[in-house]
Amino acid sequence: MTATTERAVGQPIGRIEGPDKVRGAARYAAEFQVGDDLAYAWVVQSPVARGTLRTVVVDPLVEPDDVLAVLWHGNAPRLGPADDPELAVLQSDRISYRGQAVALVVARTLEAARRAAASLQLEIDEEPHDCLLRVDHPSAYEPEKVNPGFPASSALGDVDAALAGAPVTVDVTYSTPALHNSPMEPHATTALWVNDDLVLYDSNQHPPGVAAAVGALFDLPADRVHVITEHVGGGFGSKGTARPNAVLAAMAAKVTGRPVRLALPRQALFSMVGHRTPTIQRVRLGASADGRLTAIDHKAWGQSSRLFEFAEQTAVTTRHMYAAPNRRTGHRLVRLDMPTPRWMRAPGEAPGMVALECAMDELAVALEIDPIELRVRNEPAVEPESGVPFSSRHYLECLRRGAERFGWHDRDSRPRQRREGDWWIGTGVAGATYPAMVQPSTARASRLPSGDYEVSIAATDLGTGARTILTQIAADALEVPVAQVRVRIGDSTLPMASVAGGSSGSASWGWAVTGACRALRSSSASSATFDSSELVAQQEKDGKHAFGAHFAEVRVDAVTGEVRVTRLFGMYAAGRILNPRTARSQFRGGMIMGMGMALHEESVLDPAMGAWVNHDFAEYHIPAHADLESVEAEWLDEQDDQLNPMGSKGIGEIGIVGSPAAILNAVWHATGVRIRDLPARLDKILPYL
Amino acid sequence: MKTFTYRTADDVSGGLEPGATFLAGGTNLVDLMKLGVATPDVLVDVTRLGLDQIGDLPGGGLRIGAGVRNSDLAADHRVRRDYPVLSQALLAGASGQLRNMATTAGNLLQRTRCRYFMDATMPCNKHAPGSGCPAREGDHRNLAILGASPSCVATHPSDMAVALAALDAEVRISGPAGERTVPVTELHRLPGDAPERDTVLEHGELITAVDLPPLDLAARSAYRKVRDRASYAFAVGSVAAALQVTDGTVRDVRLAFGAVAHKPWRAHRAEEALRGRPATRESFRAAADAELAAAEPLRDNAFKVTLIRNLVGSVLEGLS
């Protein structure tokens, strides 16, 4: 090796595509120019939660010159079998939830499509529906597995006996509402058929996956579906697989023989593309008087649709967080007349750690032990349920260093002690964790005639900085400056990449990129390809997690119950940080989303109407700038050589894990009010002030 | 969106053809058109009628043109000096971009944010008379506790209107039948059995100005808005107040509540209960109770009674 370059990895390089985005030059799925005969599609959604669509009556006098097609199950092309029944659009007369796509209007203009869609008469036989998740639901059942393949339950020792014999116990139920991912860029597809091949400009987190899924529906191999995903304005899991918009656009393009654009309106994102399941979670903890856990019991209820079983892994994190000889986790699922839940940033971990980390705080109070000290006393030596050693675990260091940086040491542990004017002030802490996952990917590195290098992989950049980080990784592996590296991503025809999900993108793609670049350096060929599948398959999967600690200071208005977060601080141990600038943004973004989960975000269900009734950014509240008074993230320099060539752990999701609990614990410390039903709205706090 | 035609208004008394509606800043109307909740055939743009000035009234007070932008009104030095409650209320609403577009009359005439009203696929007696009101049994956490009816529990969402209600403002109206003036507290209706009608305006009538009478005690006035996030959210409760205290006794007071009713709620009963009383938090809260005795909260919005009572105490204490 020659030390020709300063290492690029670890440098705070700005996003490569940043200038394009600022100038408006970056193109998103609904912005590509695809010829002068582009048509526009508008989705007609079911106005009822359950029933049968008998027929669709079209008024031929509405926009007669511009309407090109009105598709519904009675006339839509037949699709091949779908692994994801949500993609079998317009194939059945069954209505499984309110907001389900039941028809599609294609017209020369968006306005004509919309107007014609509004004029359609849907003849529906409506049936009584059931949309409310509850613990005593008669059809609650235990799924065989929870995502992405964990056993639904786990048990060690005798939990009931340990709880019965514990001097101190906590038995609490926390509930979290349905949440919606709400990326800035709505789901959108521009579809066109070139001969018999399909081209999709589509906003998603996994172009090869979308190509395969949509291809299967149209009886095409994946290599005849070309998915272009140059830029993505956020996904948070809701774009992890093909969504109905891609299938509907492709279908409309096939029927009309024109390119078709379908951009879902914001309101449709609240039914058609997924959500985080609401949860109800019972956590029971037993401890000795000196604060050692003798039992942990975590049982979670979630929901899925009639269409298929999506079983979120709500209680799985509890399996490796704390030591306890007796432990049990379990999941129950209720199938309702509602849309299918999907992944949303830290699916399972985010709601699961609300219950566990708030329950730990409640236990610390019951024991009269500092909540950090309680966690110190229950630090496991190995993964408690698998027995596998951690590849690295610096949880306690995060708690201790975070406590120093945040200023925890002189905290009065009693609630409702600090008052400034009308404000009650308090602080809270909670742990954070997220699995360090890696998936097989392939990359290609090539020498360009100019002397520069091109690195290609079918990855996507959701706005996180993935393109930039891959450039840094490639530059180091090639031992050239970043200016000599061009990274091509966002195209399904490039070498196969794994999904931008599970905080695994950088690790998975970076591994393949490193391999390809190293192979190219050690050969005189013009290009080299590297597939990480074998190496990834050989890896031990258990025992690999990022950890962190979240600290919050809140003030609660004694007059109104309003909560404001004055400080939110995260300290993380997440392997090697590849780019401190984009990493800080990822961590802070997760923490802000955690603030939203704790205080603001809530999809409000009207069980009688079978719908979430708030479905735009005016009514579905995410934190506004004014809510962010101080949000800071720092990290430890963690070395872990058992992960991947970069030594990195994923950081896209850990910020939302535990940060809501830290805020809720701080609300309790400020006011003495325990909010166990998220979000902590003022009307829930006010009666107790 | 339904196809519509657009024209500019020639003068303030031109009236409107059936199916037509006036367009000013469009910050609410255009949204509702996109949602299919408002379906006018014709938009008549009134932003070029020259109604965009703030003038001094001969006997004191201000005449605010109907077309004055919310941001300009909030920044006007006379408003800030003599009617701070109005400036504060305006700045508590919406966002900078929206305030730059929204007008005085448009703000008054904005429609409820009731989630059923805003969704054309839902039943709603306001957007589809006779279709029913799911809010009463459904989502109503942010809906009315005062003056509601079996057919509608919507709230008026404006902050500005609450301040105007406290300030005894008068609305100047022009229409085919001539001109008239209505106190701002009588502009909006209670829903009764005709919730589709927000105000007493007849079709074709146009608000041309809002008059603020001289009101000495308004120099000590304040607006307090409570919402679910720090910015860019509609109120879940608000109080506009002006207070004059002499020797520890309330000499005069103006009070109005927001986000509690189909209209900005002028709290006359509370005012009466306060005049001549000691300026203490106890009497402020007792006065609020006098007003809120008429409250008929629904399953999920009883907290507003506590919230408004607390706010009245806090805001008046801050002014005394």
Side-chain angles (χ1 to χ4, degrees):
Chain A
M1 274 205 189
T2 51
T4 53
T5 55
E6 195 179 324
R7 290 190 66 104
V9 167
Q11 299 300 313
I13 296 172
R15 285 176 179 75
I16 288 168
E17 70 284 353
D20 277 352
K21 287 184 174 175
V22 171
R23 292 202 317 270
R27 286 177 302 174
Y28 292 80
E31 299 176 332
F32 283 85
Q33 300 300 314
V34 288
D36 52 13
D37 59 345
L38 178 68
Y40 297 82
W42 191 262
V43 178
V44 179
Q45 298 176 268
S46 169
V48 307
R50 182 183 172 105
T52 304
L53 175 63
R54 275 191 288 117
T55 190
V56 173
V57 181
V58 180
D59 181 346
L61 298 179
V62 176
E63 306 289 350
D65 298 334
D66 286 330
V67 170
L68 299 164
V70 177
L71 301 174
W72 57 292
H73 73 82
N75 65 0
R78 295 297 96 189
L79 298 171
D83 289 342
D84 175 354
E86 291 273 7
L87 298 184
V89 287
L90 314 185
Q91 301 297 294
S92 158
D93 61 357
R94 225 28 240 157
I95 292 169
S96 300
Y97 57 88
R98 187 182 173 111
Q100 187 174 15
V102 292
L104 188 75
V105 178
V106 193
R108 282 177 231 274
T109 67
L110 178 62
E111 292 74 16
R114 249 188 119 155
R115 184 155 174 247
S119 74
L120 293 189
Q121 299 285 322
L122 307 177
E123 292 183 9
I124 295 173
D125 293 330
E126 189 176 356
E127 299 165 19
H129 60 258
D130 177 7
C131 294
L132 185 64
L133 174 67
R134 50 194 172 92
V135 167
D136 60 353
H137 198 288
S139 67
Y141 69 98
E142 180 175 29
E144 267 186 43
K145 299 268 185 193
V146 294
N147 296 336
F150 293 109
S153 64
S154 68
L156 275 177
D158 188 339
V159 168
D160 296 324
L163 284 171
V168 181
T169 57
V170 160
D171 181 350
V172 287
T173 299
Y174 279 78
S175 59
T176 60
L179 300 173
H180 280 86
N181 309 56
S182 302
M184 283 295 284
E185 183 205 12
H187 295 57
T189 308
T190 304
L192 61 153
W193 290 83
V194 180
N195 301 318
D196 287 331
D197 289 5
L198 177 61
V199 179
L200 299 173
Y201 296 90
D202 183 69
S203 182
N204 67 75
Q205 299 173 217
H206 193 207
V210 171
V214 178
L217 295 168
F218 291 93
D219 200 22
L220 288 174
D223 63 3
R224 291 185 53 197
V225 183
H226 185 182
V227 177
I228 298 153
T229 306
E230 194 171 322
H231 297 288
V232 181
F236 306 112
S238 68
K239 297 174 182 172
T241 55
R243 299 286 71 212
N245 49 289
V247 185
L248 289 167
M251 182 189 280
K254 189 158 190 112
V255 169
T256 61
R258 294 163 174 256
V260 172
R261 176 163 298 159
L262 172 56
L264 295 183
R266 175 63 56 188
Q267 287 77 11
L269 268 59
F270 284 80
S271 50
M272 279 182 59
V273 299
H275 62 277
R276 190 196 294 285
T277 176
T279 72
I280 303 167
Q281 303 175 57
R282 184 180 184 195
V283 176
R284 292 191 292 170
L285 303 174
S288 61
D290 66 349
R292 287 178 210 283
L293 286 166
T294 54
I296 303 175
D297 188 12
H298 188 173
K299 188 167 176 181
W301 285 258
Q303 74 186 38
S304 193
S305 66
R306 302 286 180 197
L307 286 171
F308 77 109
E309 180 184 279
F310 181 94
E312 188 149 298
Q313 67 274 37
T314 311
V316 166
T317 303
T318 298
R319 295 175 188 170
H320 64 250
M321 203 60 204
Y322 298 112
N326 305 289
R327 46 200 312 134
R328 183 163 64 201
T329 62
H331 297 83
R332 294 291 181 276
L333 209 58
V334 180
R335 305 284 288 272
L336 296 170
D337 300 306
M338 292 295 280
T340 313
R342 304 295 287 182
W343 308 282
M344 178 166 164
R345 204 172 199 173
E349 292 86 3
M353 284 284 278
V354 166
L356 179 64
E357 290 299 282
C358 289
M360 285 293 279
D361 201 67
E362 299 205 44
L363 181 63
V365 172
L367 288 160
E368 298 183 3
I369 293 178
D370 177 82
I372 293 178
E373 178 58 26
L374 175 64
R375 288 167 170 87
V376 170
R377 291 185 194 177
N378 292 286
E379 177 72 354
V382 295
E383 255 195 7
E385 299 202 8
S386 71
V388 173
F390 293 100
S391 68
S392 56
R393 174 170 168 132
H394 294 96
Y395 180 40
L396 300 188
E397 288 81 349
C398 288
L399 285 163
R400 288 174 176 140
R401 281 283 301 285
E404 264 171 45
R405 296 284 295 112
F406 182 78
W408 184 265
H409 63 282
D410 57 353
R411 177 182 189 256
D412 184 338
S413 63
R414 296 170 301 162
R416 212 175 167 104
Q417 296 298 314
R418 213 173 131 199
R419 175 99 179 221
E420 292 177 13
D422 280 337
W423 296 101
W424 289 111
I425 296 169
T427 53
V429 66
T433 186
Y434 195 81
M437 292 187 279
V438 63
Q439 301 179 72
S441 287
T442 302
R444 181 175 62 238
S446 310
R447 296 179 215 277
L448 299 174
S450 64
D452 290 347
Y453 296 85
E454 182 180 273
V455 177
S456 305
I457 181 166
T460 46
D461 189 327
L462 311 186
T464 55
R467 186 183 272 107
T468 307
I469 285 158
L470 293 179
T471 306
Q472 293 171 268
I473 291 169
D476 284 356
L478 290 163
E479 299 192 15
V480 301
V482 291
Q484 273 183 261
V485 179
R486 319 255 174 282
V487 166
R488 286 186 61 202
I489 59 172
D491 187 320
S492 66
T493 60
L494 299 174
M496 169 71 91
S498 56
V499 64
S503 295
S504 67
S506 296
S508 309
W509 312 329
W511 194 334
V513 165
T514 301
C517 291
R518 283 181 183 164
L520 185 67
R521 267 198 74 238
S522 61
S523 85
S524 56
S526 62
S527 78
T529 299
F530 181 84
D531 178 353
S532 68
S533 300
E534 264 184 50
L535 294 174
V536 169
Q538 289 163 14
Q539 222 190 21
E540 168 64 56
K541 297 284 184 288
D542 286 332
K544 294 184 165 63
H545 311 270
F547 289 92
H550 288 122
F551 296 82
E553 180 183 79
V554 306
R555 56 184 203 279
V556 181
D557 192 313
V559 174
T560 66
E562 288 167 291
V563 180
R564 299 285 184 256
V565 180
T566 41
R567 289 192 291 148
L568 192 56
F569 181 80
M571 177 65 79
Y572 302 95
R576 187 145 156 248
I577 296 304
L578 303 173
N579 180 328
R581 183 165 165 176
T582 55
R584 184 167 279 112
S585 179
Q586 285 263 71
F587 285 133
R588 293 172 67 200
M591 292 160 69
I592 293 164
M593 212 161 168
M595 180 196 293
M597 187 172 180
L599 301 179
H600 307 122
E601 290 191 48
E602 174 179 30
S603 298
V604 178
L605 179 70
D606 180 334
M609 302 306 297
W612 291 297
V613 293
N614 55 336
H615 36 51
D616 57 37
F617 281 141
E619 296 294 313
Y620 183 89
H621 287 166
I622 60 173
H625 283 98
D627 290 293
L628 311 177
E629 299 183 9
S630 168
V631 180
E632 295 299 333
E634 295 182 14
W635 49 86
L636 308 175
D637 184 20
E638 184 177 66
Q639 311 287 324
D640 186 335
D641 60 8
Q642 296 177 53
L643 299 168
N644 55 58
M646 295 78 62
S648 64
K649 296 175 177 175
I651 58 170
E653 289 162 270
I654 191 170
I656 195 176
V657 183
S659 50
I663 292 169
L664 295 170
N665 293 338
V667 168
W668 172 81
H669 187 235
T671 62
V673 181
R674 254 322 153 187
I675 299 298
R676 300 192 183 93
D677 169 25
L678 274 62
R681 294 189 322 240
L682 63 97
D683 50 303
K684 298 176 186 173
I685 301 171
L686 187 60
Y688 306 100
L689 293 177
Chain B
M1 192 187 296
K2 187 177 137 192
T3 305
F4 61 92
T5 59
Y6 167 94
R7 66 177 171 87
T8 54
D10 302 324
D11 58 65
V12 296
S13 58
L16 282 178
E17 55 270 50
T21 193
F22 292 119
L23 171 73
T27 57
N28 185 222
L29 175 60
V30 175
D31 278 356
L32 293 173
M33 289 169 68
K34 289 182 188 171
L35 293 170
V37 174
T39 54
D41 298 315
V42 184
L43 289 185
V44 181
D45 188 336
V46 294
T47 56
R48 293 176 204 174
L49 291 176
L51 302 173
D52 56 355
Q53 300 297 313
I54 305 171
D56 295 312
L57 287 170
L62 294 175
R63 174 159 297 169
I64 304 161
V68 172
R69 305 287 170 172
N70 287 179
S71 46
D72 292 336
L73 184 57
D76 186 90
H77 73 278
R78 293 161 292 187
V79 172
R80 293 174 48 164
R81 183 189 61 210
D82 300 335
Y83 308 96
V85 63
L86 178 56
S87 182
Q88 291 170 22
L90 283 158
L91 293 175
S95 66
Q97 294 93 327
L98 287 168
R99 293 194 294 270
N100 285 340
M101 288 299 292
T103 63
T104 307
N107 188 319
L108 282 174
L109 298 179
Q110 67 181 302
R111 311 209 64 193
T112 184
R113 307 302 293 205
C114 172
R115 289 156 174 173
Y116 302 95
F117 172 74
M118 297 282 288
D119 185 340
T121 71
M122 287 283 183
C124 168
N125 288 326
K126 196 180 264 300
H127 74 219
S131 61
C133 174
R136 191 165 266 281
E137 296 301 320
D139 171 51
H140 54 240
R141 169 185 173 258
N142 201 18
L143 298 181
I145 57 170
L146 287 162
S149 75
S151 65
C152 182
V153 292
T155 46
H156 193 259
S158 170
D159 295 300
M160 182 196 78
V162 184
L164 292 179
L167 293 172
D168 301 326
E170 298 204 317
V171 180
R172 296 176 64 85
I173 297 163
S174 172
E179 299 195 356
R180 61 180 179 135
T181 300
V182 169
V184 75
T185 50
E186 290 168 30
L187 174 69
H188 300 91
R189 301 173 62 256
L190 289 178
D193 55 7
E196 69 277 14
R197 289 195 63 197
D198 289 357
T199 69
V200 299
L201 291 178
E202 299 295 335
H203 186 71
E205 283 195 314
L206 179 71
I207 296 175
T208 57
V210 174
D211 285 354
L212 283 181
L215 189 67
D216 287 344
L217 74 161
R220 283 197 68 74
S221 63
Y223 186 72
R224 176 84 183 273
K225 174 179 181 176
V226 175
R227 46 188 147 180
D228 284 326
R229 62 181 164 190
S231 175
Y232 199 57
F234 291 92
V236 293
S238 71
V239 166
L243 183 68
Q244 192 173 27
V245 176
T246 310
D247 299 329
T249 299
V250 175
R251 262 194 64 199
D252 203 1
V253 63
R254 297 287 184 281
L255 263 181
F257 306 156
V260 295
H262 198 255
K263 58 192 289 185
W265 192 268
R266 175 70 179 266
H268 289 293
R269 281 197 192 87
E271 292 175 8
E272 281 162 29
L274 260 181
R275 289 193 184 95
R277 304 289 302 168
T280 61
R281 185 174 276 215
E282 289 66 37
S283 45
F284 297 150
R285 290 194 176 194
D289 287 340
E291 190 71 41
L292 294 164
E296 292 182 273
L298 302 165
R299 182 191 66 230
D300 293 333
N301 66 2
F303 75 97
K304 289 193 179 198
V305 175
T306 311
L307 181 64
I308 297 293
R309 180 200 295 122
N310 288 0
L311 277 180
V312 168
S314 176
V315 171
L316 290 179
E317 203 169 55
L319 290 172
S320 58

